[in-house]
PDB file of all heavy atoms in Angstrom:
ATOM      1  N   GLN C  66     142.887 113.622  84.014  1.00 89.00           N
ATOM      2  CA  GLN C  66     141.727 113.284  84.829  1.00 89.00           C
ATOM      3  C   GLN C  66     140.555 114.183  84.443  1.00 89.00           C
ATOM      4  O   GLN C  66     140.706 115.384  84.248  1.00 89.00           O
ATOM      5  CB  GLN C  66     142.075 113.474  86.308  1.00 89.00           C
ATOM      6  CG  GLN C  66     141.020 112.976  87.267  1.00 89.00           C
ATOM      7  CD  GLN C  66     141.502 113.104  88.699  1.00 89.00           C
ATOM      8  OE1 GLN C  66     142.056 114.137  89.076  1.00 89.00           O
ATOM      9  NE2 GLN C  66     141.330 112.064  89.487  1.00 89.00           N
ATOM     10  N   ASP C  83     138.743 108.525  88.548  1.00 92.00           N
ATOM     11  CA  ASP C  83     139.896 108.145  89.359  1.00 92.00           C
ATOM     12  C   ASP C  83     140.976 107.541  88.461  1.00 92.00           C
ATOM     13  O   ASP C  83     140.869 107.560  87.226  1.00 92.00           O
ATOM     14  CB  ASP C  83     139.485 107.190  90.480  1.00 92.00           C
ATOM     15  CG  ASP C  83     138.965 105.848  89.968  1.00 92.00           C
ATOM     16  OD1 ASP C  83     139.113 105.553  88.759  1.00 92.00           O
ATOM     17  OD2 ASP C  83     138.410 105.078  90.776  1.00 92.00           O
ATOM     18  N   VAL C 139     123.150  93.430  87.653  1.00 98.00           N
ATOM     19  CA  VAL C 139     122.785  92.886  86.346  1.00 98.00           C
ATOM     20  C   VAL C 139     123.295  91.454  86.217  1.00 98.00           C
ATOM     21  O   VAL C 139     124.395  91.136  86.665  1.00 98.00           O
ATOM     22  CB  VAL C 139     123.384  93.754  85.213  1.00 98.00           C
ATOM     23  CG1 VAL C 139     123.279  93.061  83.860  1.00 98.00           C
ATOM     24  CG2 VAL C 139     122.672  95.100  85.153  1.00 98.00           C
ATOM     25  N   LEU C 150     131.798  99.542  85.469  1.00 97.00           N
ATOM     26  CA  LEU C 150     131.498 100.680  84.605  1.00 97.00           C
ATOM     27  C   LEU C 150     132.644 101.677  84.612  1.00 97.00           C
ATOM     28  O   LEU C 150     133.064 102.152  85.669  1.00 97.00           O
ATOM     29  CB  LEU C 150     130.204 101.360  85.065  1.00 97.00           C
ATOM     30  CG  LEU C 150     128.941 100.496  85.011  1.00 97.00           C
ATOM     31  CD1 LEU C 150     127.782 101.211  85.681  1.00 97.00           C
ATOM     32  CD2 LEU C 150     128.591 100.143  83.565  1.00 97.00           C
ATOM     33  N   LEU C 175     133.865  94.628  79.731  1.00 97.00           N
ATOM     34  CA  LEU C 175     133.815  93.335  79.040  1.00 97.00           C
ATOM     35  C   LEU C 175     132.508  93.081  78.313  1.00 97.00           C
ATOM     36  O   LEU C 175     132.493  92.399  77.285  1.00 97.00           O
ATOM     37  CB  LEU C 175     134.050  92.196  80.054  1.00 97.00           C
ATOM     38  CG  LEU C 175     135.437  92.126  80.709  1.00 97.00           C
ATOM     39  CD1 LEU C 175     135.460  91.012  81.744  1.00 97.00           C
ATOM     40  CD2 LEU C 175     136.521  91.889  79.654  1.00 97.00           C
ATOM     41  N   ALA C 221     130.041 114.353 105.798  1.00 96.00           N
ATOM     42  CA  ALA C 221     129.700 115.212 106.936  1.00 96.00           C
ATOM     43  C   ALA C 221     129.976 114.431 108.212  1.00 96.00           C
ATOM     44  O   ALA C 221     130.304 113.235 108.179  1.00 96.00           O
ATOM     45  CB  ALA C 221     128.231 115.645 106.862  1.00 96.00           C
ATOM     46  N   GLY C 222     129.824 115.094 109.348  1.00 93.00           N
ATOM     47  CA  GLY C 222     130.078 114.428 110.615  1.00 93.00           C
ATOM     48  C   GLY C 222     128.941 113.539 111.063  1.00 93.00           C
ATOM     49  O   GLY C 222     129.142 112.467 111.635  1.00 93.00           O
ATOM     50  N   ALA C 315     110.477  92.067  93.542  1.00 97.00           N
ATOM     51  CA  ALA C 315     109.591  91.496  92.517  1.00 97.00           C
ATOM     52  C   ALA C 315     109.609  92.298  91.215  1.00 97.00           C
ATOM     53  O   ALA C 315     108.614  92.338  90.494  1.00 97.00           O
ATOM     54  CB  ALA C 315     108.154  91.395  93.041  1.00 97.00           C
ATOM     55  N   THR C 328     115.036 105.127  83.815  1.00 98.00           N
ATOM     56  CA  THR C 328     114.536 105.106  85.186  1.00 98.00           C
ATOM     57  C   THR C 328     113.760 106.388  85.482  1.00 98.00           C
ATOM     58  O   THR C 328     113.932 107.408  84.806  1.00 98.00           O
ATOM     59  CB  THR C 328     115.697 104.977  86.187  1.00 98.00           C
ATOM     60  OG1 THR C 328     116.454 106.196  86.186  1.00 98.00           O
ATOM     61  CG2 THR C 328     116.602 103.807  85.841  1.00 98.00           C
ATOM     62  N   ARG C 349     109.210 126.724  93.776  1.00 98.00           N
ATOM     63  CA  ARG C 349     109.426 127.518  92.556  1.00 98.00           C
ATOM     64  C   ARG C 349     109.624 126.606  91.354  1.00 98.00           C
ATOM     65  O   ARG C 349     109.135 126.889  90.255  1.00 98.00           O
ATOM     66  CB  ARG C 349     110.635 128.434  92.750  1.00 98.00           C
ATOM     67  CG  ARG C 349     110.451 129.504  93.824  1.00 98.00           C
ATOM     68  CD  ARG C 349     111.650 130.442  93.888  1.00 98.00           C
ATOM     69  NE  ARG C 349     111.569 131.327  95.047  1.00 98.00           N
ATOM     70  CZ  ARG C 349     112.405 131.305  96.070  1.00 98.00           C
ATOM     71  NH1 ARG C 349     113.409 130.432  96.079  1.00 98.00           N
ATOM     72  NH2 ARG C 349     112.268 132.133  97.080  1.00 98.00           N
ATOM     73  N   ARG C 410      76.056 101.474  91.197  1.00 98.00           N
ATOM     74  CA  ARG C 410      77.044 101.964  92.160  1.00 98.00           C
ATOM     75  C   ARG C 410      76.326 102.699  93.293  1.00 98.00           C
ATOM     76  O   ARG C 410      76.396 103.931  93.416  1.00 98.00           O
ATOM     77  CB  ARG C 410      78.039 102.873  91.444  1.00 98.00           C
ATOM     78  CG  ARG C 410      79.174 103.390  92.327  1.00 98.00           C
ATOM     79  CD  ARG C 410      80.158 102.328  92.707  1.00 98.00           C
ATOM     80  NE  ARG C 410      81.342 102.909  93.347  1.00 98.00           N
ATOM     81  CZ  ARG C 410      82.314 102.211  93.903  1.00 98.00           C
ATOM     82  NH1 ARG C 410      82.262 100.882  93.889  1.00 98.00           N
ATOM     83  NH2 ARG C 410      83.335 102.817  94.464  1.00 98.00           N
ATOM     84  N   GLU C 422      76.269 106.116  82.752  1.00 98.00           N
ATOM     85  CA  GLU C 422      75.453 106.787  83.757  1.00 98.00           C
ATOM     86  C   GLU C 422      74.373 105.852  84.284  1.00 98.00           C
ATOM     87  O   GLU C 422      73.758 105.100  83.524  1.00 98.00           O
ATOM     88  CB  GLU C 422      74.773 108.035  83.181  1.00 98.00           C
ATOM     89  CG  GLU C 422      75.737 109.119  82.771  1.00 98.00           C
ATOM     90  CD  GLU C 422      76.000 109.158  81.280  1.00 98.00           C
ATOM     91  OE1 GLU C 422      76.042 108.056  80.664  1.00 98.00           O
ATOM     92  OE2 GLU C 422      76.160 110.258  80.731  1.00 98.00           O
ATOM     93  N   ASN C 423      74.146 105.902  85.577  1.00 98.00           N
ATOM     94  CA  ASN C 423      73.066 105.139  86.178  1.00 98.00           C
ATOM     95  C   ASN C 423      71.732 105.796  85.798  1.00 98.00           C
ATOM     96  O   ASN C 423      71.477 106.949  86.151  1.00 98.00           O
ATOM     97  CB  ASN C 423      73.236 105.118  87.700  1.00 98.00           C
ATOM     98  CG  ASN C 423      72.154 104.323  88.387  1.00 98.00           C
ATOM     99  OD1 ASN C 423      71.033 104.795  88.551  1.00 98.00           O
ATOM    100  ND2 ASN C 423      72.485 103.109  88.795  1.00 98.00           N
ATOM    101  N   LYS C 457      81.863  92.602  91.367  1.00 98.00           N
ATOM    102  CA  LYS C 457      80.454  92.695  91.018  1.00 98.00           C
ATOM    103  C   LYS C 457      80.289  93.804  89.981  1.00 98.00           C
ATOM    104  O   LYS C 457      79.924  94.942  90.279  1.00 98.00           O
ATOM    105  CB  LYS C 457      79.622  92.981  92.262  1.00 98.00           C
ATOM    106  CG  LYS C 457      78.136  92.731  92.084  1.00 98.00           C
ATOM    107  CD  LYS C 457      77.397  92.847  93.411  1.00 98.00           C
ATOM    108  CE  LYS C 457      75.916  92.529  93.243  1.00 98.00           C
ATOM    109  NZ  LYS C 457      75.195  92.643  94.538  1.00 98.00           N
ATOM    110  N   PRO C 472      94.855  83.423  89.195  1.00 95.00           N
ATOM    111  CA  PRO C 472      93.660  82.614  88.886  1.00 95.00           C
ATOM    112  C   PRO C 472      93.442  81.452  89.844  1.00 95.00           C
ATOM    113  O   PRO C 472      92.300  81.030  90.054  1.00 95.00           O
ATOM    114  CB  PRO C 472      93.937  82.118  87.465  1.00 95.00           C
ATOM    115  CG  PRO C 472      94.912  83.082  86.900  1.00 95.00           C
ATOM    116  CD  PRO C 472      95.762  83.528  88.047  1.00 95.00           C
ATOM    117  N   LEU C 487      97.233  97.575  83.854  1.00 98.00           N
ATOM    118  CA  LEU C 487      97.620  98.630  82.919  1.00 98.00           C
ATOM    119  C   LEU C 487      98.893  98.320  82.145  1.00 98.00           C
ATOM    120  O   LEU C 487      99.312  99.128  81.311  1.00 98.00           O
ATOM    121  CB  LEU C 487      97.778  99.957  83.662  1.00 98.00           C
ATOM    122  CG  LEU C 487      96.481 100.733  83.884  1.00 98.00           C
ATOM    123  CD1 LEU C 487      96.710 101.932  84.770  1.00 98.00           C
ATOM    124  CD2 LEU C 487      95.873 101.166  82.565  1.00 98.00           C
ATOM    125  N   LYS C 620      85.670 119.556 115.667  1.00 93.00           N
ATOM    126  CA  LYS C 620      84.842 120.314 116.601  1.00 93.00           C
ATOM    127  C   LYS C 620      85.068 121.818 116.481  1.00 93.00           C
ATOM    128  O   LYS C 620      84.443 122.595 117.205  1.00 93.00           O
ATOM    129  CB  LYS C 620      85.142 119.864 118.038  1.00 93.00           C
ATOM    130  CG  LYS C 620      84.871 118.384 118.284  1.00 93.00           C
ATOM    131  CD  LYS C 620      85.249 117.988 119.707  1.00 93.00           C
ATOM    132  CE  LYS C 620      85.008 116.501 119.948  1.00 93.00           C
ATOM    133  NZ  LYS C 620      85.389 116.091 121.336  1.00 93.00           N
ATOM    134  N   LEU C 752     109.053 144.022 111.996  1.00 98.00           N
ATOM    135  CA  LEU C 752     108.207 142.830 111.916  1.00 98.00           C
ATOM    136  C   LEU C 752     109.028 141.548 111.887  1.00 98.00           C
ATOM    137  O   LEU C 752     108.578 140.504 112.373  1.00 98.00           O
ATOM    138  CB  LEU C 752     107.311 142.902 110.678  1.00 98.00           C
ATOM    139  CG  LEU C 752     106.217 143.969 110.714  1.00 98.00           C
ATOM    140  CD1 LEU C 752     105.522 144.067 109.358  1.00 98.00           C
ATOM    141  CD2 LEU C 752     105.196 143.672 111.818  1.00 98.00           C
ATOM    142  N   ARG C 765      89.719 132.769 120.250  1.00 93.00           N
ATOM    143  CA  ARG C 765      90.187 133.388 119.003  1.00 93.00           C
ATOM    144  C   ARG C 765      91.228 132.431 118.410  1.00 93.00           C
ATOM    145  O   ARG C 765      92.421 132.691 118.385  1.00 93.00           O
ATOM    146  CB  ARG C 765      90.789 134.745 119.349  1.00 93.00           C
ATOM    147  CG  ARG C 765      91.240 135.594 118.215  1.00 93.00           C
ATOM    148  CD  ARG C 765      91.753 136.918 118.790  1.00 93.00           C
ATOM    149  NE  ARG C 765      92.696 137.551 117.904  1.00 93.00           N
ATOM    150  CZ  ARG C 765      92.379 138.258 116.821  1.00 93.00           C
ATOM    151  NH1 ARG C 765      91.108 138.430 116.509  1.00 93.00           N
ATOM    152  NH2 ARG C 765      93.320 138.798 116.054  1.00 93.00           N
TER     153      ARG C 765
END
Side-chain angles (χ1 to χ4, degrees):
Q66 188 175 45
D83 65 11
V139 168
L150 298 172
L175 294 176
T328 70
R349 295 184 189 114
R410 183 71 170 173
E422 295 101 324
N423 181 282
K457 196 172 183 180
L487 277 173
K620 300 177 181 179
L752 291 172
R765 184 178 156 80

